[in-house]
Amino acid sequence: MAVKETLVITKFLRERTEDSWEYAAAREHNNAYGALEKALKMEPAALVEEVQKSGLRGRGGAGFGTGQKWSFLPPDIFPRYLAVNADEGEPATFKDHMLIERDPHQIVEGSIITAYAIQAHHAFIYLRGEFALGAERLQAAVEDAYANGFLGKNILGSGFDLELIVHRGAGCYIAGDETGLLSSLEGERAMPRIKPPFPAVQGLYAAPTIVNNVETMSAVTQIVNNSGEWYAGMGVGKSLGTRIFSVSGNVERPGNYEVELGTTFRELIEGLAGGVKGGKQLKFFIPGGASSPWLLPEHLDEPLDMDRATELGTMLGSGAIMVFDETVDPVLIAWRIAKFFAHESCGKCTPCREGSGWLEKVLYRMANGLGRAEDLDLLLGFGNNLAPGLSWPPGQTTICQLGPSTMSPTVSLNKYWGDEIRARLTADEARRKTLQVTPA
Amino acid sequence: MSFSDTERRRAEEIVARYPHSKSALLPLLHMAQDRDGYVTGEAMKDIAELLGLTPALVLGTCSFYTMFKRAPIGNLVVSVCTNVSCLVNGGPALVDSLRARYADDEDVHVEEVECVAACDLAPVMQVNYEFHGPVTSEAAVDVIEQYKSGALVARTISGSPVIAGSKAP
């Protein structure tokens, strides 16, 4: 299957693999900070409008309109802050990792443009602690931007001042939640905060704050370089532009692929990622990170469209697509995802703190031949208290989405293989009853 | 060990970057861990004093994040991912074999970690936060041994680059 990528934000890093992160290379060969020069000649409100026109939706997971988010800032309340979310942690997502290491200037430039658009004079890039090389390159990019007059006082003579700080996290998934990130940036445990008030009204240090993902910042640079209309000319429905998808698991060519939205899962998985490894059959795939409900081979011809994903009862989330072949036990995958959530639950809300660990224990015994006949129904009954309705998007019982998301794998197990799993659990229980225990 | 004058100046520079001093807590904990190999109780008290916080609050934040170690763990932290994409590509076997291989080596701390955002390299490991993957057990041991012998230069225990002339991790 011949499928072409549409390279917008990954064009430069693909073309220039040897030094795309260096200032000289980015400036000379990719017109780095050219978009900033253009943006500073515009009124901030015009920039917000341009990004609204592009239809760009946040690339971190929630898919909220970027320009719309900016427009929620209450007028006349200052200072305001920009926090760029570079704490990529949703399992199987590795696009930001690539952008940070290989095109940090595009992120820094987009961040400066965004700060100008929202009139913030302090911006932070909250970087995942484990990205050591990324920290080095991003820090170097920021220092180069200061040295060349793109950061600091009176940027390029525009009268606009901006301080940009690269802030390293220290190992914590929930710091990637926008309010968890703000708690962490304030020196606290990264515990999410209840909304409203939304960060745009009361965020960092209780001041209006915009939190945007690094891929979103990179796209802002290219939208200003070209135009909002140009960007909106790509994509489908209300999912406009291009997006980077991280494909991994049992595939021939795991990697990041930038495609126009509206491309199908089949084109991405079979065409670009080379299909299932070793010529095996596809059993199922997870379309938007560990939090998202699963899809089957019959969904391969569905488009990569955020709204269509919602109709299918799932989400494109962080753009992480995990592919599993026919030999993989879905119960084992459900257990591993539950283990992840149990480990990463911050402990603030009771349903998640208690529920995630309990869910993991039951899935563990189910995956390891120790299940009881009623286990799947036990989880569904209990899970309805954690993710009311057991559908997507789930009802909310906790401050952030982590709690209800823990149920996505179990709900998918029941939806696709419910009878099969119940029969297996019944057989496991019967087999156990025949076991003889020999006294030592 | 308390902050030296130079360290205190560096710490104050970090604090000065932030609109509110408490935001410097994570960077200062990284700095302390780089110096001592883990975050000592004394370092937490020093940081608390510098930021005007209670030591309990510093401990509360420090203990929340997996990268901060509060006891000596040796010079090399080997993080092996076993989350789903690594799981189906041999991550669990990799962590088991490395744990067995380095069980008695006080210098090497092998830990199972959650997704480190490098699933195209599955199964992936990090050595002091430098990525290596995909690796077999043999290749992983080879890489770790190269760090031990100095053939590869390891980052600090917190993943910071080693600056020429400073104490090697």
Side-chain angles (χ1 to χ4, degrees):
Chain A
M1 189 188 305
V3 182
K4 275 192 68 174
E5 288 180 86
T6 305
L7 304 184
V8 173
I9 61 177
T10 59
K11 187 166 183 281
F12 180 59
L13 67 85
R14 287 282 191 85
E15 279 171 0
R16 203 171 165 93
T17 50
E18 68 277 23
D19 60 358
S20 58
W21 53 91
E22 302 276 0
Y23 174 73
R27 182 78 175 146
E28 188 174 339
H29 302 286
N30 198 32
N31 189 29
Y33 303 99
L36 175 65
E37 287 161 1
K38 196 168 154 187
L40 290 174
K41 291 184 188 123
M42 294 166 70
E43 286 297 317
L47 269 172
V48 177
E49 203 177 306
E50 195 65 26
V51 172
Q52 278 184 317
K53 224 185 275 174
S54 74
L56 175 66
R57 290 164 72 172
R59 301 300 194 223
F64 197 79
T66 304
Q68 197 185 357
K69 199 185 223 182
W70 297 355
S71 73
F72 286 163
L73 286 164
D76 309 324
I77 299 183
F78 294 91
R80 293 165 170 180
Y81 297 105
L82 169 66
V84 177
N85 190 342
D87 190 54
E88 183 171 56
E90 183 70 25
T93 318
F94 46 98
K95 62 186 178 69
D96 296 344
H97 180 190
M98 173 186 70
L99 291 171
I100 292 158
E101 283 186 1
R102 293 174 55 194
D103 202 351
H105 286 285
Q106 185 174 235
I107 300 167
V108 171
E109 185 175 9
S111 306
I112 304 169
I113 294 170
T114 303
Y116 174 70
I118 65 170
Q119 290 293 292
H121 299 292
H122 257 107
F124 303 86
I125 301 180
Y126 187 102
L127 181 67
R128 183 165 177 183
E130 290 92 334
F131 290 168
L133 179 64
E136 230 173 271
R137 290 192 176 162
L138 199 52
Q139 185 62 45
V142 167
E143 282 164 20
D144 284 330
Y146 270 106
N148 290 283
F150 303 120
L151 276 171
K153 297 272 177 221
N154 190 20
I155 298 171
L156 301 174
S158 65
F160 177 65
D161 305 336
L162 179 65
E163 298 297 329
L164 176 60
I165 295 166
V166 177
H167 184 92
R168 275 182 77 201
C172 169
Y173 168 69
I174 204 59
D177 170 86
E178 67 173 353
T179 58
L181 184 150
L182 298 175
S183 298
S184 183
L185 195 46
E186 289 178 3
E188 299 274 347
R189 293 181 160 218
M191 289 180 167
R193 305 166 179 177
I194 203 155
K195 297 185 275 195
F198 286 89
V201 178
Q202 240 181 68
L204 188 64
Y205 315 127
T209 305
I210 293 296
V211 184
N212 281 148
N213 166 267
V214 298
E215 187 186 346
T216 312
M217 292 295 90
S218 304
V220 165
T221 302
Q222 298 312 328
I223 287 166
V224 174
N225 254 331
N226 297 276
S227 75
E229 202 182 340
W230 163 83
Y231 194 79
M234 296 178 285
V236 63
K238 285 183 180 152
S239 296
L240 300 175
T242 62
R243 213 180 149 173
I244 307 172
F245 289 92
S246 307
V247 187
S248 67
N250 301 123
V251 283
E252 287 287 350
R253 292 190 294 275
N256 286 311
Y257 299 97
E258 184 178 6
V259 294
E260 203 173 315
L261 284 157
T263 303
T264 65
F265 286 106
R266 188 185 300 282
E267 289 169 317
L268 186 62
I269 295 171
E270 294 181 2
L272 293 169
V276 178
K277 207 172 176 174
K280 293 201 177 82
Q281 293 295 309
L282 173 68
K283 179 147 185 154
F284 67 101
F285 62 99
I286 310 183
S291 307
S292 65
W294 305 352
L295 293 174
L296 294 179
E298 68 194 55
H299 299 115
L300 278 172
D301 292 311
E302 294 289 350
L304 293 157
D305 169 350
M306 292 166 229
D307 304 305
R308 178 62 187 147
T310 309
E311 285 168 20
L312 291 171
T314 184
M315 64 170 178
L316 295 189
S318 59
I321 298 177
M322 287 162 261
V323 176
F324 301 98
D325 71 30
E326 57 198 317
T327 67
V328 173
D329 176 11
V331 184
L332 184 72
I333 299 302
W335 161 70
R336 188 60 188 82
I337 293 176
K339 181 173 184 251
F340 166 78
F341 284 125
H343 180 257
E344 299 296 345
S345 173
C346 80
K348 191 170 186 175
C349 312
T350 310
C352 173
R353 181 183 65 240
E354 301 299 324
S356 58
W358 195 85
L359 186 67
E360 187 266 323
K361 286 192 189 80
V362 177
L363 281 165
Y364 181 82
R365 73 185 185 211
M366 286 168 65
N368 288 282
L370 301 166
R372 301 170 192 170
E374 73 283 3
D375 273 353
L376 183 58
D377 296 298
L378 179 73
L379 289 183
L380 294 169
F382 149 87
N384 201 33
N385 298 323
L386 186 52
L390 298 177
S391 57
W392 195 268
Q396 202 73 11
T397 53
T398 52
I399 288 173
C400 82
Q401 199 69 24
L402 193 154
S405 299
T406 58
M407 277 305 292
S408 293
T410 307
V411 170
S412 301
L413 288 182
N414 181 54
K415 187 170 168 188
Y416 300 137
W417 306 285
D419 292 345
E420 195 183 305
I421 291 169
R422 281 184 190 86
R424 162 177 161 181
L425 294 171
T426 306
D428 283 344
E429 185 167 337
R431 187 178 331 106
R432 247 189 352 270
K433 281 181 179 156
T434 67
L435 293 178
Q436 297 289 322
V437 178
T438 315
Chain B
M1 185 166 62
S2 283
F3 279 143
S4 67
D5 288 349
T6 324
E7 284 163 349
R8 182 169 288 274
R9 270 197 302 278
R10 225 182 102 209
E12 282 165 356
E13 270 170 35
I14 292 172
V15 174
R17 286 186 210 153
Y18 292 92
H20 291 248
S21 62
K22 197 174 156 195
S23 286
L25 185 46
L26 258 53
L28 293 181
L29 287 167
H30 275 302
M31 187 180 130
Q33 177 155 285
D34 277 345
R35 183 189 63 181
D36 299 330
Y38 68 103
V39 186
T40 65
E42 204 168 338
M44 283 189 257
K45 282 184 199 151
D46 277 353
I47 292 170
E49 196 197 320
L50 186 75
L51 298 179
L53 306 170
T54 64
L57 195 141
V58 174
L59 172 62
T61 294
C62 179
S63 61
F64 188 76
Y65 297 89
T66 55
M67 284 177 76
F68 295 135
K69 313 299 179 190
R70 283 167 292 127
I73 56 154
N75 288 328
L76 293 175
V77 56
V78 176
S79 319
V80 183
C81 175
T82 60
N83 209 309
V84 286
S85 289
C86 284
L87 171 70
V88 297
N89 281 294
L94 179 62
V95 73
D96 287 347
S97 77
L98 291 180
R99 270 185 175 149
R101 171 73 171 72
Y102 291 104
D104 299 321
D105 191 331
E106 287 182 356
D107 225 21
V108 179
H109 175 76
V110 179
E111 58 183 25
E112 181 181 358
V113 297
E114 293 299 348
C115 185
V116 286
C119 319
D120 48 345
L121 305 179
V124 67
M125 78 167 176
Q126 289 188 306
V127 181
N128 288 10
Y129 304 101
E130 196 75 68
F131 286 94
H132 295 278
V135 282
T136 58
S137 296
E138 297 71 41
V141 168
D142 186 50
V143 168
I144 295 166
E145 292 301 315
Q146 286 191 53
Y147 279 115
K148 284 183 72 176
S149 71
L152 284 171
V153 180
R155 293 175 179 277
T156 66
I157 208 75
S158 232
S160 309
V162 175
I163 299 148
S166 71
K167 200 183 82 173

